[in-house]
Amino acid sequence: MIVVFGGNGQVGRELARAATQHAVPLAALSHGDVDIADEAAVATTLARLRPALVINAAAYTKVDLAETNIDEARRGNEIGPAVLAAACADAQLPLLHISTDYVFDGSKVGPYFETDPVCPLSVYGETKAAGEAAIRQALAQHVIMRTAWVYSEFGQNFLKTMLRLAATRDELRVVADQYGSPTSARTIAEAILRIGPRLWRGEDIWGTYHFTAEGITTWHGFASRVIAAAAPITGRRPRVIAIKTADYPTAARRPANSHLDCSLFARTFGFSAPHWAAEVDVTTRALVGAAPADLYPAKADHVA
Ligand SMILES: NC(=O)c1ccc[n+]([C@@H]2O[C@H](COP(=O)([O-])OP(=O)(O)OC[C@H]3O[C@@H](n4cnc5c(N)ncnc54)[C@H](OP(=O)(O)O)[C@@H]3O)[C@@H](O)[C@H]2O)c1
């Protein structure tokens, strides 16, 4: 069986859904069930469930609030992963941990490789980078999977915010100078379940990998795609205005370039995610309740 910590988050819930579909035994534990920074609770859970693989989908993901809630961010992103890695080392279990593009500062021209040095701009990014380092130090049998711009039908995310704002506003002002790959939590979950058996069989594939949807866009491109996919169903077509990061001040600084090169993951595991635009359409339609017959054909003009 697989044990998932952070089972109530976007990726955690998609993992539970995918496991049910593929008849894979999986226990998804919420923050309320187990705090990953609680050594005794983690050890007891692993001893009780005796999993073949541990997945850490738990994290403190409130990027702006992390700038002031530093202790909470450290607990979820740094101490928790360290505790999980130590417990997995004691129990001789492999750990798959999810990390983020925000470990980079975004100043690179071109996509980031796994070998590029981290240089986070925010407390969220710093604590995530520290969590990665703690895992590498404590546990050889780990896979760190860095992803970016995650959305799903569950929880809070940019896609859902755009749909909510589109219901009442005629104009949306969205940042157009940060680049990344919107990635569906559903696809992340599918990828994890595909590679899972190679981890619990103990194949020598340990290390850090980048995994996002194909292609890149901006938050403005992402929003435009959401509105285009929803409009035929909702009838709402607010104008999406491109603005600069400087026009939308936030507590945390974000990388201008979040493009992650995912070829190592594809070469190693034989699996790549679909293009971001196709995945955004699927989730948008699911959220606005479209019947399959209402499917809106892909439009290339919003795709960066
Ligand atoms: N969201 C993104 O855009 C994004 C981008 C790149 C990478 N990632 C990474 O992808 C992974 C999954 O993210 P997600 O979007 O699924 O996050 P999410 O929806 O915010 O879910 C994270 C879950 O972790 C739980 N959690 C927080 N602190 C915890 C702790 N100390 N112990 C146990 N559980 C704790 C949260 O519970 P409560 O809400 O009850 O605290 C929440 O259910 C994370 O590693 C994240 O850093 C996310």
Side-chain angles (χ1 to χ4, degrees):
M1 93 130 63
I2 297 173
V3 164
V4 176
F5 292 98
N8 211 28
Q10 299 190 83
V11 173
R13 291 180 69 175
E14 289 290 0
L15 276 165
R17 174 153 80 174
T20 303
Q21 280 167 0
H22 297 296
V24 174
L26 179 144
L29 304 169
S30 71
H31 196 172
D33 294 326
V34 182
D35 183 324
I36 57 168
D38 181 337
E39 282 178 41
V42 167
T44 307
T45 302
L46 297 186
R48 180 169 59 84
L49 295 173
R50 305 173 76 81
L53 172 65
V54 177
I55 298 174
N56 181 29
Y60 184 90
T61 58
K62 301 178 190 90
V63 175
D64 289 312
L65 281 176
E67 295 296 309
T68 41
N69 292 348
I70 297 170
D71 289 346
E72 227 183 312
R74 278 197 69 222
R75 191 170 177 85
N77 298 341
E78 181 178 348
I79 300 168
V83 166
L84 285 180
C88 286
D90 282 349
Q92 297 189 317
L93 292 173
L95 172 67
L96 186 147
H97 170 78
I98 306 170
S99 194
T100 173
D101 52 309
Y102 282 20
V103 297
F104 297 118
D105 67 8
S107 64
K108 185 180 176 186
V109 176
Y112 279 94
F113 295 97
E114 289 82 351
T115 45
D116 284 321
V118 300
C119 187
L121 297 174
S122 62
V123 170
Y124 170 72
E126 276 170 28
T127 54
K128 290 292 292 184
E132 289 187 2
I135 290 171
R136 288 187 195 106
Q137 195 177 346
L139 179 72
Q141 287 185 303
H142 70 261
V143 164
I144 294 171
M145 195 170 161
R146 289 193 190 125
T147 189
W149 295 24
V150 179
Y151 63 89
S152 79
E153 291 169 46
F154 306 117
Q156 291 303 312
N157 55 64
F158 177 85
L159 190 157
K160 290 172 81 172
T161 301
M162 291 303 109
L163 285 179
R164 183 166 42 79
L165 295 178
T168 55
R169 296 193 187 174
D170 295 328
E171 195 174 282
L172 306 178
R173 295 164 59 77
V174 187
V175 170
D177 56 3
Q178 292 171 24
Y179 292 82
S181 309
T183 302
S184 156
R186 184 191 290 251
T187 303
I188 297 169
E190 288 291 337
I192 291 174
L193 289 193
R194 273 184 187 230
I195 73 173
R198 297 189 57 185
L199 275 59
W200 69 66
R201 283 199 301 259
E203 286 187 31
D204 190 14
I205 36 73
W206 312 115
T208 300
Y209 296 89
H210 290 170
F211 181 83
T212 66
E214 285 292 314
I216 56 165
T217 185
T218 63
W219 294 107
H220 176 268
F222 186 2
S224 300
R225 188 78 194 190
V226 171
I227 301 306
I233 303 146
T234 61
R236 296 288 309 160
R237 292 178 194 275
R239 285 197 305 144
V240 186
I241 313 286
I243 63 168
K244 293 192 162 73
T245 299
D247 300 328
Y248 186 73
T250 53
R253 288 174 67 206
R254 288 163 168 77
N257 172 20
S258 278
H259 185 191
L260 302 182
D261 179 280
C262 300
S263 56
L264 178 63
F265 188 96
R267 279 200 309 280
T268 308
F269 297 110
F271 180 73
S272 308
H275 193 274
W276 69 267
E279 296 275 86
V280 164
D281 288 356
V282 170
T283 301
T284 303
R285 288 174 194 135
L287 280 166
V288 294
D294 296 328
L295 294 187
Y296 186 55
K299 280 186 71 178
D301 56 344
H302 293 305
V303 182

